[in-house]
Amino acid sequence: MSTLEPFTIEQFYKFIAQGKLMAGKCQKCGKIHLPPRPLCNNCYSQTFTWTPVPSKGKLLTYTVIHVAPQQFQHLAPYAVGIVQLENGAKLPGMITGTTQLRIGMDLTVDFTACDNAQPWPQWPRYCFKPT
Amino acid sequence: MNGKPLVSIVSAGLSKFGKREGLYARELFAEAVKEAFDRCPRLEPKRDVKAMFVGHMGESYEHQGHMGAAAADWTGLLNIPATRTEAACASSGAALRSGIYAVLSGLADVVLVGGVEKMTHRSTAEVTEYLAMASDYPFEQWHGITFPGLYALMATAHMHKYGTTETQMAQVAVKNHHHGTLNPKAHLQKEITLEKALTSRPVASPLKMFDCSLITDGASCVILTKPELAGKFTDQPVHIVGTGQASDTIGLYERETLTSLQAAKLAARTAYDMAAVKPENVDVAEVHDCFTIAELIAYEDLGLCKAGEGGKLAESGETRLGERLPVNTSGGLKAKGHPVGATGTAQAYEIYLQLTGQAEQRQVKNAQTGLTHNVGGSGATATVHIYRSNQQ
Ligand SMILES: [Zn+2]
């Protein structure tokens, strides 16, 4: 894996567009950062390597959003949750493909992101679906 | 620190909370400040007030940033150092904290701290978008997670871990609406039933409309000075004896736990230690009930009950006016309303009234020690302050 890409949120989403879930690993203290950061908040190192994160995990908590901002009103009601991935990292996102939500259920990151026409940011929006 | 007064409150003011059509935020702020000046005739504002901190969360509402200077001008305090503080819904908790820094530093003897937000002229969709700005943009807002959504995520986790029920959450709403009927400045002054709360329309499951605080216009302020100068301005000061502020990850998803707010626990510990006060010594508290689940978690984080027992404490009725530990006698964010930038010092205003015996029909008998708990975002900021009456 190339180490040239900057360890930024922008780069995290570039990897998402390629169907990859990637975290930064601090070369000095070993801390895994998801999302990646350019400065380790544990040891202040600025040296990282990219490490793939398993796209499978378990649902920690969830809600169904009924009152949404304009941008999301066409989707409401929609489910969102926080998923703990198999390496322990946590990631929030929408949950699609099921209405049977329960804490502890198995979910997988779905990289088929919805369209994004706005000028900034152009981040592909991953979501979670049942494993 | 051993419970000695850090600073003293010599006056306080609050605008009427509600739908204040046709007013601009700085005009509302002037309403609150005028009350504070009127309550304190021995204060000469232009001579005495040396600095101002104004909590204000969003420039989106009125297309207006730079609230510090605007607020100073509209309150007749042009030319003093005036700074806007922003920490989402804890913006004026942060203003209060900043005022304490200013007085204790010796740079300003008398400081006016307050906050304001004008919200009701915007649609619910717009307010939902602006409030969400307090959360993490790239991983929360970007994925459609709203502000009620974040507290709903905490509620789901709390229910799963501790067996907390929707009925227990609704009991917070019923209580705070009852208290709101006793506060002529509250946005809503109507009782609600448990059934009405439980059958209201969903916002972000399990949270329903009556689990959510109100979109409200309002302003608040308190005037601080050094304890040794308080007697110059009033015979009835209220002393701040403990202050705590802490931060946490901007994203809820990065936290160790989803069922308590670490920043609130840290701020509370600091404030309690400084004040030499224990949770059981608190006579009256204003806590940040932006959602009913938030009041239950506040009980736990402030040590008013054990972790996981917030729901039971709400159910017991002990936090109602007239019972062991009245919480949110003002009606709280739930019924008094939550003009976000104004909330922190609106809580301080209520405690000031309670500890000076001016809370009228909602007066807590013999209230000597008070507490305020103000939370920003989903808990990335928290401030806790502890107050003591002049009698004690
Ligand atoms: Zn490191």
Side-chain angles (χ1 to χ4, degrees), chain B residues 108-307:
Chain B
D109 281 349
V110 180
V111 179
L112 190 147
V113 300
V116 63
E117 213 80 52
K118 177 74 181 73
M119 306 170 77
T120 64
H121 57 293
R122 292 291 190 174
S123 70
T124 301
E126 286 170 324
V127 173
T128 302
E129 184 184 336
Y130 304 157
L131 287 176
M133 290 179 186
S135 68
D136 185 64
Y137 181 67
F139 292 94
E140 291 177 341
Q141 295 171 55
W142 184 246
H143 294 279
I145 304 180
T146 60
F147 201 60
L150 290 164
Y151 277 88
L153 292 172
M154 291 186 232
T156 303
H158 204 275
M159 292 166 80
H160 181 77
K161 185 170 178 186
Y162 297 120
T164 303
T165 66
E166 292 181 44
T167 302
Q168 289 170 333
M169 290 191 261
Q171 272 153 339
V172 170
V174 172
K175 168 183 73 75
N176 290 350
H177 276 278
H178 169 65
H179 291 169
T181 65
L182 305 172
N183 182 357
K185 285 187 175 175
H187 186 166
L188 282 188
Q189 300 171 35
K190 269 202 315 223
E191 302 278 357
I192 60 161
T193 62
L194 200 56
E195 196 200 347
K196 185 170 181 183
L198 284 168
T199 55
S200 58
R201 63 181 167 79
V203 173
S205 66
L207 302 181
K208 296 166 282 295
M209 197 179 81
F210 277 99
D211 289 301
C212 303
S213 54
L214 305 171
I215 295 167
T216 298
D217 308 323
S220 59
C221 71
V222 299
I223 299 173
L224 308 175
T225 190
K226 294 193 225 176
E228 57 269 34
L229 289 181
K232 180 180 163 190
F233 301 112
T234 179
D235 298 329
Q236 232 188 353
V238 165
H239 308 293
I240 296 184
V241 290
T243 174
Q245 180 174 340
S247 58
D248 201 349
T249 62
I250 184 77
L252 175 69
Y253 68 97
E254 292 198 274
R255 311 245 176 97
E256 288 285 309
T257 172
L258 298 169
T259 53
S260 69
L261 301 182
Q262 178 71 0
K265 287 162 92 166
L266 290 170
R269 190 188 306 159
T270 304
Y272 281 131
D273 286 352
M274 205 180 279
V277 161
K278 289 184 165 39
E280 56 268 31
N281 305 135
V282 174
D283 297 318
V284 56
E286 288 283 303
V287 308
H288 197 90
D289 59 326
C290 51
F291 301 94
T292 52
I293 182 66
E295 181 161 326
L296 303 187
I297 291 174
Y299 294 160
E300 299 172 18
D301 291 344
L302 294 169
L304 306 178
C305 66
K306 290 191 191 126

